[in-house]
Amino acid sequence: MKWLSKLFKGGSSRGGEGGSGGGGSRNPQFIGDENMVWRAPIRSVDDRSRTEKERNELDRAIALSLAEDFKRPSGHRWQREKDKDFAGSLHDNLHPPLYPPHVPPQSHPWGYKICGGCKHEIIYGNYLGCMGSYFHPQCFCCSLCRQPITESEFSLSGRDPYHKTCFKELAHPKCEVCLRFIPTNKDGLIEYRCHPFWSQKYCPSHEQDKTARCCSCERLESWDARYISLGDGRSLCLECMESAIMDTGDCQPLYHAIRDFFEGMNMKLDQQIPMLLVERQALNEAIVGEKNGLHHMPETRGLCLSEEQTVTSILRRPRIGGHQLIGMRTHPQKLTRRCEVTAILVLYGLPRLLTGAILAHELMHAWLRLKGYRNLNPEVEEGICQVLSYMWLESEVMPGFRNMPSTSAASSSSSSSSKKGAKSNVENKLGEFFLHQIANDGSPAYGGGFRAANTAVNKYGLRRTLDHIHFTGNFPL
């Protein structure tokens, strides 16, 4: 399983108008609490400097002079027009536009300001001047919470302003286990782990602090949701628990449905092979008793037995007591060897789709042994078994993808939705995850073998691929 580590890094920018605060549609990058910050100057229409007062007095003097001209005889009309031109020129020189890019096309009197938020004129009272525009204080709002920004500092992404706390909530990743902001490492960078399928982000420390991980979907237990303990060191999340199969009797309909799936592909199993649901300890003991065979480590979830053994199976399903299962009833069962295969063992407590995928894999092992496929190397045998597991999952999650009938209607489980032949969105998502697991397995036998086998089956078909394996021991090229 590959785990991803992501690093965020960047800096902050501070400045007045004209500064750049972000990367357009890209998420801004930052370290810790350092954000892109603007300081917004707050001004008042009534606040005028001494220079502004002097300019106003000069304007008033020019206006009085022009008024006197209108009282004189008509012979002074040319002089009045000249004075008006001079006054206009002087006014333009004294009052150049403050923000040329944002001046509206129509002409307005000096001091005319339009709010960048409500688009109405700012007539009196306080106003903000920032980002090349003016705003009423109540119109300069955070792009996330839509509330006015009253602080003198704020964060900026592109041209979108935010409260500093809102910007951190938006851009700083939170741990989905402890529900806190992911801290920076010793280099000041935000570092976290991310599941490749579920995209669950969490602090690296949760990989060593004994946080429970679901044995089915691999997600870590969040502090606001408790997992169910299966009693053998495994935990199960509530979503996987919905369709979990808990005892051997509960699994029999699914087992027979998968045998029918094999028969539908002209791969009938002529002998009745016992199938038992077992605890982890019983499965590990059976592995030790098996003389040969390759087992997927660190966790083996199914086994095709060929040796005579006594195996403890789960006879009665447990019930939930608190956050663990209690009341399980087991039964020792002696398996005698009458053919190449003595039994198929599967871990109890896994969701229906995962249990079925394991059964399909182990039934393919049984079919190969019963049909005389001997001495295959691990990549070939495990690879073709994974292909059958993958094909069965496809028939459940994407019916008709390879023209294979779904076995949902023929099987049942503890899940009421499965008994009706329909799967919930949660169960379908789990099926997609199990397909992803098979396709992206990193082991040479299970992962590399599957990809080689799947390529051959897609190119030549299952039957021709199996015939080639039978005669050569390898996949066709």
Side-chain angles (χ1 to χ4, degrees):
M1 178 56 60
K2 297 181 180 177
W3 301 101
L4 307 179
S5 295
K6 304 245 177 154
L7 299 178
F8 280 72
K9 64 180 181 178
S12 63
S13 61
R14 298 174 180 263
E17 299 157 358
S20 175
S25 61
R26 297 174 295 175
N27 289 328
Q29 300 176 333
F30 60 92
I31 299 175
D33 289 333
E34 294 183 5
N35 298 323
M36 292 156 286
V37 178
W38 283 67
R39 294 186 178 274
I42 300 179
R43 303 172 181 170
S44 172
V45 174
D46 299 325
D47 296 339
R48 296 179 297 176
S49 65
R50 176 176 297 180
T51 301
E52 290 176 326
K53 292 181 180 179
E54 291 174 353
R55 291 175 179 173
N56 290 341
E57 291 175 0
L58 180 58
D59 287 347
R60 189 168 180 273
I62 293 172
L64 290 174
S65 175
L66 292 174
E68 290 295 325
D69 284 344
F70 279 107
K71 297 177 183 179
R72 296 177 185 176
S74 58
H76 294 280
R77 178 174 297 277
W78 177 85
Q79 183 65 33
R80 289 200 305 271
E81 295 296 329
K82 185 177 180 181
D83 288 343
K84 286 173 65 178
D85 293 340
F86 172 75
S89 175
L90 181 61
H91 182 276
D92 291 340
N93 290 334
L94 290 175
H95 304 286
L98 294 178
Y99 302 97
H102 299 280
V103 173
Q106 68 273 24
S107 60
H108 296 291
W110 176 82
Y112 187 88
K113 296 178 176 64
I114 295 295
C115 175
C118 66
K119 308 303 180 185
H120 293 155
E121 182 182 2
I122 301 174
I123 300 175
Y124 60 88
N126 294 334
Y127 67 92
L128 293 166
C130 59
M131 300 189 300
S133 298
Y134 301 105
F135 296 87
H136 293 110
Q138 69 272 16
C139 295
F140 188 63
C141 297
C142 173
S143 298
L144 182 63
C145 69
R146 302 300 176 185
Q147 296 300 311
I149 299 175
T150 58
E151 297 85 354
S152 60
E153 294 185 356
F154 60 95
S155 298
L156 190 66
S157 174
R159 291 192 62 81
D160 297 327
Y162 297 88
H163 292 109
K164 293 180 70 176
T165 53
C166 288
F167 184 78
K168 184 173 182 179
E169 189 74 28
L170 177 71
H172 191 128
K174 269 190 174 181
C175 175
E176 296 179 37
V177 174
C178 63
L179 310 178
R180 299 170 180 168
F181 288 114
I182 296 176
T184 56
N185 61 19
K186 61 180 181 180
D187 297 320
L189 303 175
I190 298 172
E191 179 183 0
Y192 63 88
R193 301 289 183 266
C194 183
H195 193 280
F197 180 84
W198 302 106
S199 299
Q200 183 188 34
K201 300 182 181 70
Y202 54 91
C203 305
S205 60
H206 296 312
E207 292 186 336
Q208 289 84 34
D209 63 4
K210 298 182 180 180
T211 297
R213 186 186 296 275
C214 178
C215 64
S216 168
C217 67
E218 298 183 345
R219 285 175 288 189
L220 289 175
E221 181 184 50
S222 173
W223 287 9
D224 63 352
R226 292 295 302 274
Y227 284 5
I228 302 297
S229 173
L230 295 179
D232 56 3
R234 294 179 296 145
S235 297
L236 200 66
C237 73
L238 298 181
E239 289 186 355
C240 291
M241 188 70 189
E242 286 182 5
S243 61
I245 298 180
M246 291 297 184
D247 61 43
T248 300
D250 211 17
C251 193
Q252 291 299 324
L254 177 62
Y255 176 54
H256 290 296
I258 296 175
R259 289 177 64 103
D260 293 341
F261 176 79
F262 272 69
E263 187 172 346
M265 296 186 295
N266 297 317
M267 298 173 61
K268 185 177 180 180
L269 290 151
D270 299 322
Q271 294 165 320
Q272 291 298 320
I273 304 169
M275 187 279 304
L276 304 175
L277 239 60
V278 299
E279 293 181 273
R280 175 191 267 179
Q281 181 180 355
L283 186 62
N284 291 337
E285 290 173 353
I287 292 173
V288 174
E290 190 75 0
K291 296 178 180 178
N292 299 306
L294 180 71
H295 309 296
H296 199 351
M297 305 306 273
E299 178 74 283
T300 299
R301 296 184 287 199
L303 184 64
C304 181
L305 288 180
S306 58
E307 303 295 329
E308 294 184 358
Q309 296 191 45
T310 298
V311 176
T312 301
S313 64
I314 298 175
L315 187 63
R316 187 179 68 186
R317 63 183 294 130
R319 65 181 187 276
I320 298 177
H323 294 285
Q324 60 184 359
L325 299 177
I326 58 176
M328 180 186 297
R329 181 180 174 185
T330 60
H331 173 71
Q333 186 165 340
K334 184 174 179 60
L335 303 172
T336 58
R337 181 170 181 172
R338 295 187 178 89
C339 62
E340 290 286 338
V341 179
T342 55
I344 290 175
L345 308 182
V346 179
L347 271 180
Y348 91 100
L350 299 176
R352 173 187 171 275
L353 289 178
L354 180 54
T355 303
I358 296 168
L359 280 171
H361 179 102
E362 301 303 332
L363 273 173
M364 189 59 189
H365 277 300
W367 187 88
L368 291 172
R369 294 180 189 179
L370 294 174
K371 297 299 180 181
Y373 288 73
R374 302 179 184 279
N375 302 319
L376 297 177
N377 65 59
E379 287 78 7
V380 173
E381 183 167 353
E382 299 298 341
I384 197 64
C385 290
Q386 286 290 76
V387 165
L388 266 294
S389 178
Y390 194 90
M391 291 174 68
W392 180 81
L393 278 172
E394 281 182 334
S395 74
E396 294 291 298
V397 179
M398 298 175 285
F401 182 74
R402 298 204 199 199
N403 297 319
M404 296 296 177
S406 172
T407 57
S408 291
S411 64
S412 64
S413 73
S414 58
S415 170
S416 59
S417 64
S418 295
K419 289 179 181 179
K420 297 175 184 178
K423 289 178 288 297
S424 66
N425 291 334
V426 170
E427 195 173 5
N428 273 324
K429 190 66 177 178
L430 282 174
E432 292 173 10
F433 168 64
F434 301 141
L435 287 169
H436 174 272
Q437 271 192 314
I438 294 174
N440 295 277
D441 195 304
S443 66
Y446 288 80
F450 163 76
R451 288 182 282 275
N454 197 47
T455 299
V457 170
N458 287 334
K459 186 174 181 180
Y460 300 105
L462 180 60
R463 174 51 56 187
R464 289 181 62 187
T465 299
L466 287 172
D467 290 342
H468 193 277
I469 293 173
H470 191 253
F471 288 111
T472 68
N474 290 302
F475 300 124
L477 300 176

PDB file of all heavy atoms in Angstrom, residues 410-442:
ATOM      1  N   ALA A 410     -28.846 -13.736  -6.133  1.00  0.00           N
ATOM      2  CA  ALA A 410     -28.775 -15.135  -5.707  1.00  0.00           C
ATOM      3  C   ALA A 410     -28.146 -15.302  -4.342  1.00  0.00           C
ATOM      4  O   ALA A 410     -28.120 -16.389  -3.808  1.00  0.00           O
ATOM      5  CB  ALA A 410     -27.980 -15.948  -6.732  1.00  0.00           C
ATOM      6  N   SER A 411     -27.601 -14.232  -3.785  1.00  0.00           N
ATOM      7  CA  SER A 411     -26.919 -14.339  -2.493  1.00  0.00           C
ATOM      8  C   SER A 411     -27.586 -13.435  -1.480  1.00  0.00           C
ATOM      9  O   SER A 411     -28.322 -12.525  -1.815  1.00  0.00           O
ATOM     10  CB  SER A 411     -25.441 -13.953  -2.646  1.00  0.00           C
ATOM     11  OG  SER A 411     -25.331 -12.604  -3.029  1.00  0.00           O
ATOM     12  N   SER A 412     -27.327 -13.714  -0.223  1.00  0.00           N
ATOM     13  CA  SER A 412     -27.873 -12.883   0.844  1.00  0.00           C
ATOM     14  C   SER A 412     -26.823 -12.715   1.915  1.00  0.00           C
ATOM     15  O   SER A 412     -25.839 -13.427   1.971  1.00  0.00           O
ATOM     16  CB  SER A 412     -29.123 -13.521   1.433  1.00  0.00           C
ATOM     17  OG  SER A 412     -28.789 -14.749   2.044  1.00  0.00           O
ATOM     18  N   SER A 413     -27.031 -11.738   2.789  1.00  0.00           N
ATOM     19  CA  SER A 413     -26.102 -11.503   3.891  1.00  0.00           C
ATOM     20  C   SER A 413     -26.876 -10.892   5.029  1.00  0.00           C
ATOM     21  O   SER A 413     -28.099 -10.779   4.999  1.00  0.00           O
ATOM     22  CB  SER A 413     -24.967 -10.566   3.441  1.00  0.00           C
ATOM     23  OG  SER A 413     -25.463  -9.254   3.304  1.00  0.00           O
ATOM     24  N   SER A 414     -26.142 -10.441   6.024  1.00  0.00           N
ATOM     25  CA  SER A 414     -26.794  -9.788   7.150  1.00  0.00           C
ATOM     26  C   SER A 414     -27.337  -8.430   6.768  1.00  0.00           C
ATOM     27  O   SER A 414     -28.125  -7.849   7.510  1.00  0.00           O
ATOM     28  CB  SER A 414     -25.792  -9.634   8.305  1.00  0.00           C
ATOM     29  OG  SER A 414     -24.675  -8.893   7.869  1.00  0.00           O
ATOM     30  N   SER A 415     -26.932  -7.906   5.643  1.00  0.00           N
ATOM     31  CA  SER A 415     -27.425  -6.609   5.189  1.00  0.00           C
ATOM     32  C   SER A 415     -28.775  -6.779   4.511  1.00  0.00           C
ATOM     33  O   SER A 415     -28.939  -7.578   3.610  1.00  0.00           O
ATOM     34  CB  SER A 415     -26.428  -5.972   4.215  1.00  0.00           C
ATOM     35  OG  SER A 415     -26.999  -4.844   3.595  1.00  0.00           O
ATOM     36  N   SER A 416     -29.784  -5.994   4.946  1.00  0.00           N
ATOM     37  CA  SER A 416     -31.108  -6.101   4.345  1.00  0.00           C
ATOM     38  C   SER A 416     -31.083  -5.693   2.891  1.00  0.00           C
ATOM     39  O   SER A 416     -31.828  -6.228   2.070  1.00  0.00           O
ATOM     40  CB  SER A 416     -32.095  -5.224   5.117  1.00  0.00           C
ATOM     41  OG  SER A 416     -31.675  -3.877   5.107  1.00  0.00           O
ATOM     42  N   SER A 417     -30.219  -4.734   2.532  1.00  0.00           N
ATOM     43  CA  SER A 417     -30.161  -4.307   1.135  1.00  0.00           C
ATOM     44  C   SER A 417     -29.648  -5.421   0.249  1.00  0.00           C
ATOM     45  O   SER A 417     -30.104  -5.594  -0.882  1.00  0.00           O
ATOM     46  CB  SER A 417     -29.261  -3.067   1.006  1.00  0.00           C
ATOM     47  OG  SER A 417     -27.936  -3.379   1.366  1.00  0.00           O
ATOM     48  N   SER A 418     -28.691  -6.220   0.757  1.00  0.00           N
ATOM     49  CA  SER A 418     -28.151  -7.313  -0.039  1.00  0.00           C
ATOM     50  C   SER A 418     -29.183  -8.415  -0.206  1.00  0.00           C
ATOM     51  O   SER A 418     -29.251  -9.081  -1.229  1.00  0.00           O
ATOM     52  CB  SER A 418     -26.888  -7.869   0.619  1.00  0.00           C
ATOM     53  OG  SER A 418     -25.877  -6.901   0.619  1.00  0.00           O
ATOM     54  N   LYS A 419     -30.024  -8.649   0.813  1.00  0.00           N
ATOM     55  CA  LYS A 419     -31.047  -9.676   0.709  1.00  0.00           C
ATOM     56  C   LYS A 419     -32.051  -9.354  -0.391  1.00  0.00           C
ATOM     57  O   LYS A 419     -32.628 -10.230  -0.998  1.00  0.00           O
ATOM     58  CB  LYS A 419     -31.767  -9.814   2.059  1.00  0.00           C
ATOM     59  CG  LYS A 419     -30.906 -10.452   3.134  1.00  0.00           C
ATOM     60  CD  LYS A 419     -31.654 -10.548   4.444  1.00  0.00           C
ATOM     61  CE  LYS A 419     -30.784 -11.172   5.522  1.00  0.00           C
ATOM     62  NZ  LYS A 419     -31.473 -11.250   6.817  1.00  0.00           N
ATOM     63  N   LYS A 420     -32.237  -8.069  -0.656  1.00  0.00           N
ATOM     64  CA  LYS A 420     -33.164  -7.665  -1.700  1.00  0.00           C
ATOM     65  C   LYS A 420     -32.494  -7.618  -3.069  1.00  0.00           C
ATOM     66  O   LYS A 420     -33.132  -7.298  -4.051  1.00  0.00           O
ATOM     67  CB  LYS A 420     -33.741  -6.291  -1.361  1.00  0.00           C
ATOM     68  CG  LYS A 420     -34.564  -6.263  -0.072  1.00  0.00           C
ATOM     69  CD  LYS A 420     -35.006  -4.845   0.253  1.00  0.00           C
ATOM     70  CE  LYS A 420     -35.750  -4.794   1.577  1.00  0.00           C
ATOM     71  NZ  LYS A 420     -36.147  -3.410   1.928  1.00  0.00           N
ATOM     72  N   GLY A 421     -31.203  -7.931  -3.128  1.00  0.00           N
ATOM     73  CA  GLY A 421     -30.495  -7.903  -4.392  1.00  0.00           C
ATOM     74  C   GLY A 421     -30.013  -6.529  -4.778  1.00  0.00           C
ATOM     75  O   GLY A 421     -29.523  -6.344  -5.885  1.00  0.00           O
ATOM     76  N   ALA A 422     -30.153  -5.544  -3.897  1.00  0.00           N
ATOM     77  CA  ALA A 422     -29.712  -4.184  -4.187  1.00  0.00           C
ATOM     78  C   ALA A 422     -28.628  -3.792  -3.199  1.00  0.00           C
ATOM     79  O   ALA A 422     -28.630  -4.224  -2.050  1.00  0.00           O
ATOM     80  CB  ALA A 422     -30.885  -3.213  -4.093  1.00  0.00           C
ATOM     81  N   LYS A 423     -27.709  -2.954  -3.659  1.00  0.00           N
ATOM     82  CA  LYS A 423     -26.613  -2.508  -2.798  1.00  0.00           C
ATOM     83  C   LYS A 423     -26.730  -1.013  -2.572  1.00  0.00           C
ATOM     84  O   LYS A 423     -27.093  -0.253  -3.472  1.00  0.00           O
ATOM     85  CB  LYS A 423     -25.257  -2.850  -3.431  1.00  0.00           C
ATOM     86  CG  LYS A 423     -24.944  -4.335  -3.412  1.00  0.00           C
ATOM     87  CD  LYS A 423     -23.616  -4.625  -4.081  1.00  0.00           C
ATOM     88  CE  LYS A 423     -23.692  -4.457  -5.590  1.00  0.00           C
ATOM     89  NZ  LYS A 423     -24.639  -5.415  -6.208  1.00  0.00           N
ATOM     90  N   SER A 424     -26.386  -0.585  -1.372  1.00  0.00           N
ATOM     91  CA  SER A 424     -26.420   0.832  -1.050  1.00  0.00           C
ATOM     92  C   SER A 424     -25.230   1.527  -1.697  1.00  0.00           C
ATOM     93  O   SER A 424     -24.287   0.882  -2.190  1.00  0.00           O
ATOM     94  CB  SER A 424     -26.370   1.021   0.468  1.00  0.00           C
ATOM     95  OG  SER A 424     -25.115   0.573   0.975  1.00  0.00           O
ATOM     96  N   ASN A 425     -25.270   2.857  -1.689  1.00  0.00           N
ATOM     97  CA  ASN A 425     -24.136   3.627  -2.219  1.00  0.00           C
ATOM     98  C   ASN A 425     -22.871   3.348  -1.425  1.00  0.00           C
ATOM     99  O   ASN A 425     -21.771   3.329  -1.987  1.00  0.00           O
ATOM    100  CB  ASN A 425     -24.468   5.120  -2.192  1.00  0.00           C
ATOM    101  CG  ASN A 425     -25.546   5.490  -3.185  1.00  0.00           C
ATOM    102  OD1 ASN A 425     -25.729   4.815  -4.196  1.00  0.00           O
ATOM    103  ND2 ASN A 425     -26.276   6.562  -2.902  1.00  0.00           N
ATOM    104  N   VAL A 426     -23.026   3.140  -0.111  1.00  0.00           N
ATOM    105  CA  VAL A 426     -21.867   2.828   0.731  1.00  0.00           C
ATOM    106  C   VAL A 426     -21.231   1.511   0.296  1.00  0.00           C
ATOM    107  O   VAL A 426     -20.008   1.401   0.154  1.00  0.00           O
ATOM    108  CB  VAL A 426     -22.292   2.761   2.216  1.00  0.00           C
ATOM    109  CG1 VAL A 426     -21.165   2.192   3.076  1.00  0.00           C
ATOM    110  CG2 VAL A 426     -22.691   4.137   2.715  1.00  0.00           C
ATOM    111  N   GLU A 427     -22.065   0.495   0.045  1.00  0.00           N
ATOM    112  CA  GLU A 427     -21.541  -0.813  -0.353  1.00  0.00           C
ATOM    113  C   GLU A 427     -20.900  -0.755  -1.736  1.00  0.00           C
ATOM    114  O   GLU A 427     -19.866  -1.367  -1.989  1.00  0.00           O
ATOM    115  CB  GLU A 427     -22.658  -1.860  -0.324  1.00  0.00           C
ATOM    116  CG  GLU A 427     -22.136  -3.284  -0.376  1.00  0.00           C
ATOM    117  CD  GLU A 427     -23.214  -4.326  -0.184  1.00  0.00           C
ATOM    118  OE1 GLU A 427     -24.408  -3.952  -0.094  1.00  0.00           O
ATOM    119  OE2 GLU A 427     -22.866  -5.520  -0.124  1.00  0.00           O
ATOM    120  N   ASN A 428     -21.503   0.017  -2.649  1.00  0.00           N
ATOM    121  CA  ASN A 428     -20.907   0.175  -3.978  1.00  0.00           C
ATOM    122  C   ASN A 428     -19.548   0.859  -3.901  1.00  0.00           C
ATOM    123  O   ASN A 428     -18.619   0.497  -4.619  1.00  0.00           O
ATOM    124  CB  ASN A 428     -21.845   0.972  -4.883  1.00  0.00           C
ATOM    125  CG  ASN A 428     -22.864   0.094  -5.584  1.00  0.00           C
ATOM    126  OD1 ASN A 428     -22.566  -1.034  -5.955  1.00  0.00           O
ATOM    127  ND2 ASN A 428     -24.065   0.594  -5.748  1.00  0.00           N
ATOM    128  N   LYS A 429     -19.448   1.852  -3.024  1.00  0.00           N
ATOM    129  CA  LYS A 429     -18.168   2.544  -2.860  1.00  0.00           C
ATOM    130  C   LYS A 429     -17.117   1.596  -2.296  1.00  0.00           C
ATOM    131  O   LYS A 429     -15.944   1.639  -2.699  1.00  0.00           O
ATOM    132  CB  LYS A 429     -18.345   3.760  -1.945  1.00  0.00           C
ATOM    133  CG  LYS A 429     -17.139   4.689  -1.910  1.00  0.00           C
ATOM    134  CD  LYS A 429     -16.912   5.359  -3.247  1.00  0.00           C
ATOM    135  CE  LYS A 429     -15.754   6.339  -3.193  1.00  0.00           C
ATOM    136  NZ  LYS A 429     -15.476   6.964  -4.502  1.00  0.00           N
ATOM    137  N   LEU A 430     -17.517   0.736  -1.375  1.00  0.00           N
ATOM    138  CA  LEU A 430     -16.592  -0.274  -0.854  1.00  0.00           C
ATOM    139  C   LEU A 430     -16.132  -1.200  -1.970  1.00  0.00           C
ATOM    140  O   LEU A 430     -14.952  -1.558  -2.047  1.00  0.00           O
ATOM    141  CB  LEU A 430     -17.264  -1.085   0.261  1.00  0.00           C
ATOM    142  CG  LEU A 430     -17.360  -0.428   1.639  1.00  0.00           C
ATOM    143  CD1 LEU A 430     -18.180  -1.298   2.576  1.00  0.00           C
ATOM    144  CD2 LEU A 430     -15.974  -0.176   2.219  1.00  0.00           C
ATOM    145  N   GLY A 431     -17.067  -1.606  -2.854  1.00  0.00           N
ATOM    146  CA  GLY A 431     -16.699  -2.462  -3.980  1.00  0.00           C
ATOM    147  C   GLY A 431     -15.671  -1.791  -4.878  1.00  0.00           C
ATOM    148  O   GLY A 431     -14.718  -2.435  -5.342  1.00  0.00           O
ATOM    149  N   GLU A 432     -15.837  -0.494  -5.123  1.00  0.00           N
ATOM    150  CA  GLU A 432     -14.861   0.239  -5.934  1.00  0.00           C
ATOM    151  C   GLU A 432     -13.502   0.259  -5.237  1.00  0.00           C
ATOM    152  O   GLU A 432     -12.457   0.173  -5.895  1.00  0.00           O
ATOM    153  CB  GLU A 432     -15.359   1.661  -6.176  1.00  0.00           C
ATOM    154  CG  GLU A 432     -16.588   1.744  -7.066  1.00  0.00           C
ATOM    155  CD  GLU A 432     -17.146   3.153  -7.147  1.00  0.00           C
ATOM    156  OE1 GLU A 432     -16.467   4.085  -6.656  1.00  0.00           O
ATOM    157  OE2 GLU A 432     -18.253   3.321  -7.681  1.00  0.00           O
ATOM    158  N   PHE A 433     -13.509   0.372  -3.903  1.00  0.00           N
ATOM    159  CA  PHE A 433     -12.241   0.357  -3.168  1.00  0.00           C
ATOM    160  C   PHE A 433     -11.559  -0.998  -3.282  1.00  0.00           C
ATOM    161  O   PHE A 433     -10.339  -1.068  -3.486  1.00  0.00           O
ATOM    162  CB  PHE A 433     -12.479   0.687  -1.696  1.00  0.00           C
ATOM    163  CG  PHE A 433     -11.284   0.417  -0.817  1.00  0.00           C
ATOM    164  CD1 PHE A 433     -10.109   1.120  -0.973  1.00  0.00           C
ATOM    165  CD2 PHE A 433     -11.336  -0.580   0.146  1.00  0.00           C
ATOM    166  CE1 PHE A 433      -9.000   0.856  -0.174  1.00  0.00           C
ATOM    167  CE2 PHE A 433     -10.244  -0.850   0.947  1.00  0.00           C
ATOM    168  CZ  PHE A 433      -9.066  -0.125   0.786  1.00  0.00           C
ATOM    169  N   PHE A 434     -12.312  -2.096  -3.177  1.00  0.00           N
ATOM    170  CA  PHE A 434     -11.706  -3.423  -3.280  1.00  0.00           C
ATOM    171  C   PHE A 434     -11.144  -3.658  -4.682  1.00  0.00           C
ATOM    172  O   PHE A 434     -10.091  -4.285  -4.841  1.00  0.00           O
ATOM    173  CB  PHE A 434     -12.728  -4.501  -2.908  1.00  0.00           C
ATOM    174  CG  PHE A 434     -13.289  -4.356  -1.516  1.00  0.00           C
ATOM    175  CD1 PHE A 434     -14.637  -4.602  -1.254  1.00  0.00           C
ATOM    176  CD2 PHE A 434     -12.480  -3.946  -0.468  1.00  0.00           C
ATOM    177  CE1 PHE A 434     -15.155  -4.457   0.016  1.00  0.00           C
ATOM    178  CE2 PHE A 434     -12.989  -3.791   0.812  1.00  0.00           C
ATOM    179  CZ  PHE A 434     -14.336  -4.043   1.051  1.00  0.00           C
ATOM    180  N   LEU A 435     -11.824  -3.154  -5.702  1.00  0.00           N
ATOM    181  CA  LEU A 435     -11.276  -3.212  -7.074  1.00  0.00           C
ATOM    182  C   LEU A 435      -9.981  -2.420  -7.155  1.00  0.00           C
ATOM    183  O   LEU A 435      -9.005  -2.865  -7.774  1.00  0.00           O
ATOM    184  CB  LEU A 435     -12.299  -2.657  -8.067  1.00  0.00           C
ATOM    185  CG  LEU A 435     -13.525  -3.519  -8.365  1.00  0.00           C
ATOM    186  CD1 LEU A 435     -14.556  -2.724  -9.153  1.00  0.00           C
ATOM    187  CD2 LEU A 435     -13.132  -4.777  -9.137  1.00  0.00           C
ATOM    188  N   HIS A 436      -9.975  -1.261  -6.529  1.00  0.00           N
ATOM    189  CA  HIS A 436      -8.764  -0.420  -6.517  1.00  0.00           C
ATOM    190  C   HIS A 436      -7.621  -1.141  -5.811  1.00  0.00           C
ATOM    191  O   HIS A 436      -6.463  -1.075  -6.252  1.00  0.00           O
ATOM    192  CB  HIS A 436      -9.081   0.904  -5.820  1.00  0.00           C
ATOM    193  CG  HIS A 436      -7.900   1.799  -5.609  1.00  0.00           C
ATOM    194  ND1 HIS A 436      -7.087   1.728  -4.489  1.00  0.00           N
ATOM    195  CD2 HIS A 436      -7.365   2.776  -6.384  1.00  0.00           C
ATOM    196  CE1 HIS A 436      -6.128   2.630  -4.582  1.00  0.00           C
ATOM    197  NE2 HIS A 436      -6.276   3.274  -5.714  1.00  0.00           N
ATOM    198  N   GLN A 437      -7.930  -1.822  -4.722  1.00  0.00           N
ATOM    199  CA  GLN A 437      -6.895  -2.560  -3.988  1.00  0.00           C
ATOM    200  C   GLN A 437      -6.246  -3.624  -4.869  1.00  0.00           C
ATOM    201  O   GLN A 437      -5.014  -3.767  -4.877  1.00  0.00           O
ATOM    202  CB  GLN A 437      -7.509  -3.222  -2.756  1.00  0.00           C
ATOM    203  CG  GLN A 437      -7.505  -2.381  -1.504  1.00  0.00           C
ATOM    204  CD  GLN A 437      -7.853  -3.223  -0.300  1.00  0.00           C
ATOM    205  OE1 GLN A 437      -8.808  -4.009  -0.319  1.00  0.00           O
ATOM    206  NE2 GLN A 437      -7.096  -3.077   0.759  1.00  0.00           N
ATOM    207  N   ILE A 438      -7.062  -4.391  -5.578  1.00  0.00           N
ATOM    208  CA  ILE A 438      -6.516  -5.450  -6.433  1.00  0.00           C
ATOM    209  C   ILE A 438      -5.669  -4.858  -7.554  1.00  0.00           C
ATOM    210  O   ILE A 438      -4.562  -5.314  -7.828  1.00  0.00           O
ATOM    211  CB  ILE A 438      -7.665  -6.303  -7.013  1.00  0.00           C
ATOM    212  CG1 ILE A 438      -8.381  -7.062  -5.889  1.00  0.00           C
ATOM    213  CG2 ILE A 438      -7.131  -7.286  -8.055  1.00  0.00           C
ATOM    214  CD1 ILE A 438      -9.620  -7.812  -6.354  1.00  0.00           C
ATOM    215  N   ALA A 439      -6.191  -3.813  -8.206  1.00  0.00           N
ATOM    216  CA  ALA A 439      -5.501  -3.234  -9.357  1.00  0.00           C
ATOM    217  C   ALA A 439      -4.189  -2.558  -8.980  1.00  0.00           C
ATOM    218  O   ALA A 439      -3.268  -2.489  -9.801  1.00  0.00           O
ATOM    219  CB  ALA A 439      -6.419  -2.237 -10.064  1.00  0.00           C
ATOM    220  N   ASN A 440      -4.081  -2.062  -7.737  1.00  0.00           N
ATOM    221  CA  ASN A 440      -2.901  -1.292  -7.341  1.00  0.00           C
ATOM    222  C   ASN A 440      -2.060  -1.995  -6.283  1.00  0.00           C
ATOM    223  O   ASN A 440      -1.225  -1.356  -5.630  1.00  0.00           O
ATOM    224  CB  ASN A 440      -3.331   0.079  -6.823  1.00  0.00           C
ATOM    225  CG  ASN A 440      -3.977   0.925  -7.904  1.00  0.00           C
ATOM    226  OD1 ASN A 440      -3.306   1.575  -8.689  1.00  0.00           O
ATOM    227  ND2 ASN A 440      -5.302   0.912  -7.942  1.00  0.00           N
ATOM    228  N   ASP A 441      -2.253  -3.297  -6.110  1.00  0.00           N
ATOM    229  CA  ASP A 441      -1.443  -4.051  -5.156  1.00  0.00           C
ATOM    230  C   ASP A 441       0.026  -3.977  -5.559  1.00  0.00           C
ATOM    231  O   ASP A 441       0.373  -4.138  -6.729  1.00  0.00           O
ATOM    232  CB  ASP A 441      -1.911  -5.510  -5.131  1.00  0.00           C
ATOM    233  CG  ASP A 441      -1.387  -6.274  -3.926  1.00  0.00           C
ATOM    234  OD1 ASP A 441      -0.151  -6.312  -3.750  1.00  0.00           O
ATOM    235  OD2 ASP A 441      -2.203  -6.821  -3.171  1.00  0.00           O
ATOM    236  N   GLY A 442       0.877  -3.717  -4.575  1.00  0.00           N
ATOM    237  CA  GLY A 442       2.295  -3.539  -4.874  1.00  0.00           C
ATOM    238  C   GLY A 442       3.135  -4.798  -4.816  1.00  0.00           C
ATOM    239  O   GLY A 442       4.314  -4.765  -5.184  1.00  0.00           O
TER     240      GLY A 442
END
